[in-house]
Amino acid sequence: MDLIKNIWFFSFKVEKKNASSLVVNLIVWVVAAVLAGLVLWLAAALTGWIPLIGGLIGGIVGFVGGVIEIYSLIGIVLSVLKFLDIVK
């Protein structure tokens, strides 16, 4: 559990039974995922026109985007579980 707390430390800042801390935490997770998606989209758009390297960078950007989405989703789930006092 310590490893999970170290990786998703922000999710464990939610206070149990405090709806405002949960809402703020969820907003931060969603905004962070959207901003990361926009930055990755911009990187893919700027390099997508390059014939050989564009495809490679597009694949890397797609992979990194997927990892960021999964990280954010796990962070959101942990925030809700911490709010409900299921996770200590």
Side-chain angles (χ1 to χ4, degrees):
M1 189 57 129
D2 290 331
L3 180 64
I4 292 175
K5 285 184 179 180
N6 287 335
I7 295 174
W8 287 279
F9 58 91
F10 192 70
S11 294
F12 290 94
K13 293 185 179 187
V14 173
E15 300 169 5
K16 63 180 180 179
K17 308 299 181 194
N18 186 354
S20 64
S21 72
L22 176 66
V23 170
V24 168
N25 199 296
L26 294 178
I27 289 172
V28 168
W29 277 115
V30 170
V31 168
V34 168
L35 287 177
L38 288 174
V39 168
L40 291 173
W41 173 81
L42 182 63
L46 290 176
T47 60
W49 60 273
I50 303 171
L52 228 45
I53 298 174
L56 178 65
I57 292 176
I60 293 170
V61 166
F63 176 74
V64 170
V67 169
I68 290 173
E69 288 177 7
I70 291 171
Y71 180 80
S72 298
L73 180 65
I74 293 172
I76 289 170
V77 169
L78 285 173
S79 297
V80 172
L81 291 176
K82 177 72 175 171
F83 173 74
L84 297 174
D85 202 25
I86 296 173
V87 175
K88 301 290 179 194

